[in-house]
Amino acid sequence: GGMFSPPQRISHHREEALDPRIAMNARGDAIVVWDVQVPTGCLLRATFRPAGGAWGAPRTVPDGHEYCRGSHTVAIDQRGNAIVAWVAMQGSTMLVKTAGRGAKGRWSAQPVIGRASAVAEPPGAVQVGMDARGDAIVVWIDPARVLGGRRTMWARIRPVGRPWGAKERIGDLAYESSLSFAMDARGDASVVWEDKRGMEVASHPAGGGWQTPNTVSDRKSAEI
């Protein structure tokens, strides 16, 4: 019901900040995460704003010192807990990493949740979602699983207060395709991507498993 506020600088003025991502919960808590280029590679920075409050000082996300790829993504639950996921490179291996922020502001690195042999092109997308109570899902593309111009999409689920579950294969993508992922407050989630048949959607109801993908647009319609 109001107007946009004047812009505020939330990053250090002497740093080259890139690729911001933002997430908010229903009560108005917000978190922003971005890349910062440094001489040795890249850092992930984050700042948090409680509902009705002010932006805090930027914090470095643990274990986020990698090459800048613009692959990071962030989600937040109703209590203010947050999770960041991103793609990193370690030698010739692509890693999908996560870090968590507790509602009281403490960051902690979490286990590597995905690995793949690197390929010449940049790794595919990684996206994360959280429901209101803190259940989290990370979905990512494995670009090394190329077979006839196709890549494989995987997901892992972390119920609140428990470790990450085993990775699950959702489907294959056309070589040039990316993905788009969404998760609601109840925990229902869906992911959409482009396959050789057209636009595909797979859903994951709260407390259930991944359902068989549905084709929602044929290949010809998807290209128009």
Side-chain angles (χ1 to χ4, degrees):
M3 300 178 64
F4 279 104
S5 65
Q8 301 175 57
R9 181 183 292 120
I10 56 176
S11 64
H12 295 303
H13 68 281
R14 293 184 179 179
E15 292 184 337
E16 185 176 0
L18 305 167
D19 299 312
R21 304 288 189 269
I22 189 169
M24 293 182 72
N25 60 21
R27 71 181 182 184
D29 300 327
I31 185 169
V32 178
V33 180
W34 64 93
D35 278 333
V36 173
Q37 289 187 337
V38 295
T40 54
C42 186
L43 296 174
L44 281 174
R45 301 269 202 230
T47 182
F48 180 80
R49 187 204 67 187
W55 292 103
R59 299 278 301 276
T60 300
V61 177
D63 206 18
H65 194 169
E66 309 291 346
Y67 294 109
C68 292
R69 310 189 73 91
S71 62
H72 50 279
T73 179
V74 61
I76 188 171
D77 70 13
Q78 187 58 22
R79 295 175 296 173
N81 301 301
I83 185 170
V84 180
W86 69 97
V87 173
M89 296 298 297
Q90 181 175 319
S92 61
T93 301
M94 181 190 81
L95 305 177
V96 180
K97 291 187 174 183
T98 60
R101 179 192 183 277
K104 295 183 179 180
R106 182 176 180 181
W107 281 96
S108 60
Q110 298 180 355
V112 172
I113 63 171
R115 297 175 185 268
S117 299
V119 293
E121 68 161 277
V126 55
Q127 297 194 27
V128 64
M130 294 182 80
D131 61 18
R133 71 174 189 170
D135 298 329
I137 298 178
V138 174
V139 180
W140 73 94
I141 300 169
D142 182 345
R145 303 275 295 196
V146 176
L147 179 61
R150 295 159 69 80
R151 298 180 291 174
T152 303
M153 181 165 48
W154 302 90
R156 290 184 72 172
I157 299 173
R158 190 211 63 191
V160 62
R162 296 170 59 186
W164 289 97
K167 72 176 185 178
E168 301 175 75
R169 182 176 179 175
I170 301 176
D172 294 323
L173 301 85
Y175 189 73
E176 303 86 0
S177 178
S178 60
L179 63 89
S180 184
F181 174 72
M183 187 173 183
D184 68 16
R186 281 183 35 182
D188 298 322
S190 292
V191 59
V192 59
W193 69 96
E194 182 186 350
D195 193 15
K196 65 178 182 180
R197 294 181 295 272
M199 290 296 172
E200 301 280 307
V201 173
S203 296
H204 186 284
W210 288 101
Q211 298 178 345
T212 303
N214 293 316
T215 303
V216 294
S217 173
D218 61 35
R219 180 73 178 181
K220 183 176 180 180
S221 299
E223 293 175 348
I224 293 176

